[in-house]
Amino acid sequence: MADCCSTPGLLPFEDALNNMLEVINPIVDVEDVALSDSLGRIIAQDLKSPVNVPPNDNSAMDGYAFAHKSLALNNELVLVGRSMAGSPYLGECHNGECVRIMTGAKIPDDCDTVEMQENCIVENEKIHFSFKRVFGDNVRGQGEDIAINQNVFSTGRELTSVDIGVLASLGIQNVTVYRKIKVALIATGDELKKPHEQLNNGDIYESNSQFLTAILAKLGAEIINLGIIEDDEAKIKVAFEQADELADVVISSGGVSVGEADYTKTVLEQLGHISFWKIAMKPGKPFAFGSLPNSYFFGLPGNPVSALVTAHQLALPALLKLQNSRAKKPLMIKARTMTSLKKSPGRMDFQRGVIANDLNGELVVTTTGSQGSGILTSMAAANCYIVLPLEQGKVAEKEWVNVQMFDKYLL
Ligand code: AMP
Ligand code: MG
């Protein structure tokens, strides 16, 4: 039986990934965009806060503000004014006095503590305090969320919806981001048809460029879809040249094996530089990476599951690096497999599974069933990969396995 050392010519997955990441040079061009258009963009500068958030000490409750030392003498204070959010109390508040205050309103200068109104008894202009408060209670301090000049986000961060809220709270209107990367897509294959076309004998509907478009949209890339190209060396060459003129990255699928209609490798060798790998991973053994005169090139296998998994596991990290994203490595978690898993040593498997909590709250994972590289529904039914290392053989029921949750690019 094959193992890692007796499978000649197969490149371990990590080596393929590292080789690619070493070669990729991140883009340098930047542009300014409105904060409202910045979701998913990669910031090209460290963002420091121009203000304190909150800008002043303010109340966390509707109640009464006073100087804490006032209550040492007396638990009844005289009401001298009101501080509302947006219209602070500007007068003085002496010993023995208090100010009506609303949530978010500025704490008057002489005050340091707030009592919530539910704990107070109001009688004419006098407020009785039933509890002794601790100094500073119910006061949100100036700059307690973000201090002025504090580094809020570092360059390379992909802005999330939460980040946009944080930046809005700083009064920031525009951000400098890296320009979008341009990715050209090419599907190769005589048998591939578009949705409205008639399927003749042996034809199938083209799907790879469709899910790639969806993944790239989530990545925030500009997509140039060059459509379906026949298995014809000259036509593929023209398509690759055109793609190279337009894009930073060219991604093709199909024609990357060593079959009679597989021209990707030949054309790439004519036009640019190519590293063609048989990668020790399943699905997705044949994979090409290289460069054309103006762009990087990824040649995905044609089988939809192989194309999807190699796009996700290999091309995506490279694209993230290209767009300067400091995305974290995907989390690996451990779960018990509910069924045995078929596996031969020699390749790293990305099997499709469904992870869930069992009745005791423990993490368990169930295979989606047949793992054939043409069965795209095995990806649709899954919410995770069951990642089985290269040297691993078959896995028995109840064994612990490594699981990688599907991320936003697949869901
Ligand atoms: P290939 O790598 O070109 O030999 O293709 C391997 C398998 O994937 C064949 O069954 C193809 O019909 C299929 N295939 C190739 N490209 C696509 C595509 N863009 N969409 C769906 N299936 C494809
Ligand atoms: Mg083909």
Side-chain angles (χ1 to χ4, degrees):
M1 188 172 284
D3 64 25
C4 62
C5 307
S6 68
T7 313
L10 288 195
L11 184 69
F13 168 80
E14 291 85 358
D15 292 357
L17 183 59
N18 290 335
N19 288 352
M20 279 195 308
L21 293 176
E22 256 174 44
V23 171
I24 302 271
N25 276 322
I27 54 163
V28 292
D29 302 340
V30 299
E31 60 190 2
D32 283 349
V33 294
L35 184 63
S36 52
D37 293 330
S38 69
L39 182 65
R41 301 301 298 269
I42 313 297
I43 54 172
Q45 83 220 101
D46 288 346
L47 285 176
K48 293 192 189 308
S49 178
V51 293
N52 280 308
V53 181
N56 305 107
D57 289 354
N58 70 90
S59 180
M61 292 284 176
D62 293 335
Y64 297 90
F66 49 88
H68 184 256
K69 62 179 191 281
S70 286
L71 284 186
L73 308 168
N74 194 345
N75 67 352
E76 187 177 278
L77 301 177
V78 178
L79 187 64
V80 293
R82 277 161 33 111
S83 181
M84 312 292 284
S87 90
Y89 174 71
L90 300 173
E92 295 182 346
C93 180
H94 300 111
N95 218 347
E97 295 176 344
C98 66
V99 171
R100 178 87 172 112
I101 195 161
M102 297 296 144
T103 304
K106 183 171 185 271
I107 303 289
D109 288 346
D110 307 320
C111 301
D112 51 45
T113 306
V114 170
E115 177 57 286
M116 61 198 269
Q117 64 190 30
E118 290 83 345
N119 292 341
C120 300
I121 300 160
V122 184
E123 224 182 82
N124 301 321
E125 295 300 283
K126 292 203 169 140
I127 315 296
H128 297 266
F129 290 80
S130 21
F131 298 103
K132 284 268 183 268
R133 293 264 40 131
V134 175
F135 179 88
D137 264 359
N138 298 322
V139 173
R140 304 192 286 214
Q142 179 187 58
E144 86 174 16
D145 185 359
I146 304 162
I148 192 163
N149 286 328
Q150 185 183 323
N151 195 43
V152 184
F153 296 130
S154 299
T155 181
R157 184 178 179 95
E158 179 186 331
L159 291 176
T160 66
S161 39
V162 177
D163 297 348
I164 289 174
V166 171
L167 294 177
S169 79
L170 308 180
I172 286 176
Q173 284 190 63
N174 295 299
V175 282
T176 305
V177 297
Y178 288 102
R179 74 159 167 83
K180 292 186 173 188
I181 57 169
K182 291 179 225 158
V183 184
L185 292 178
I186 295 168
T188 69
D190 287 342
E191 74 284 26
L192 304 176
K193 289 285 177 292
K194 295 189 199 139
H196 56 273
E197 290 176 337
Q198 163 97 33
L199 288 189
N200 296 319
N201 214 358
D203 289 347
I204 59 166
Y205 287 119
E206 195 281 320
S207 57
N208 293 351
S209 74
Q210 300 299 314
F211 61 67
L212 289 171
T213 297
I215 290 174
L216 292 167
K218 290 198 177 175
L219 189 73
E222 228 171 77
I223 301 150
I224 303 152
N225 194 342
L226 294 174
I228 298 165
I229 311 293
E230 289 158 53
D231 292 314
D232 174 290
E233 189 174 326
K235 287 184 180 162
I236 290 177
K237 191 170 175 191
V238 170
F240 283 9
E241 280 170 337
Q242 194 190 354
D244 179 51
E245 297 253 308
L246 298 171
D248 303 305
V249 176
V250 180
I251 302 181
S252 75
S253 70
V256 81
S257 319
V258 284
E260 279 175 18
D262 293 335
Y263 299 112
T264 302
K265 192 172 168 248
T266 330
V267 172
L268 265 174
E269 273 163 353
Q270 293 165 21
L271 296 179
H273 168 79
I274 174 175
S275 308
F276 174 75
W277 295 318
K278 290 201 169 90
I279 300 180
M281 70 186 282
K282 194 177 170 192
K285 188 163 67 173
F287 181 87
F289 171 67
S291 49
L292 294 165
N294 308 299
S295 58
Y296 296 106
F297 182 91
F298 300 94
L300 310 180
N303 278 308
V305 178
S306 309
L308 186 45
V309 174
T310 50
H312 189 227
Q313 293 288 346
L314 289 167
L316 187 70
L319 295 179
L320 286 166
K321 173 155 189 209
L322 183 67
Q323 63 175 15
N324 291 279
S325 171
R326 294 245 180 92
K328 301 209 173 64
K329 274 186 133 182
L331 267 188
M332 255 337 160
I333 51 183
K334 292 228 182 271
R336 276 185 197 277
T337 173
M338 299 291 279
T339 58
S340 59
L341 301 170
K342 284 189 197 156
K343 167 85 169 71
S344 312
R347 284 157 83 181
M348 182 171 176
D349 269 21
F350 293 90
Q351 299 197 8
R352 276 73 69 203
V354 178
I355 188 166
N357 291 118
D358 69 7
L359 292 175
N360 302 318
E362 306 289 345
L363 284 174
V364 291
V365 68
T366 311
T367 174
T368 56
S370 175
Q371 299 287 314
S373 59
I375 301 177
L376 197 50
T377 50
S378 73
M379 286 293 287
N383 64 3
C384 64
Y385 295 108
I386 304 169
V387 184
L388 302 175
L390 184 135
E391 66 281 4
Q392 168 91 51
K394 63 180 185 293
V395 181
E397 187 188 333
K398 296 273 160 51
E399 267 187 56
W400 290 96
V401 287
N402 278 330
V403 167
Q404 183 188 334
M405 298 296 299
F406 280 1
D407 56 22
K408 64 174 177 178
Y409 301 103
L410 296 186
L411 297 173

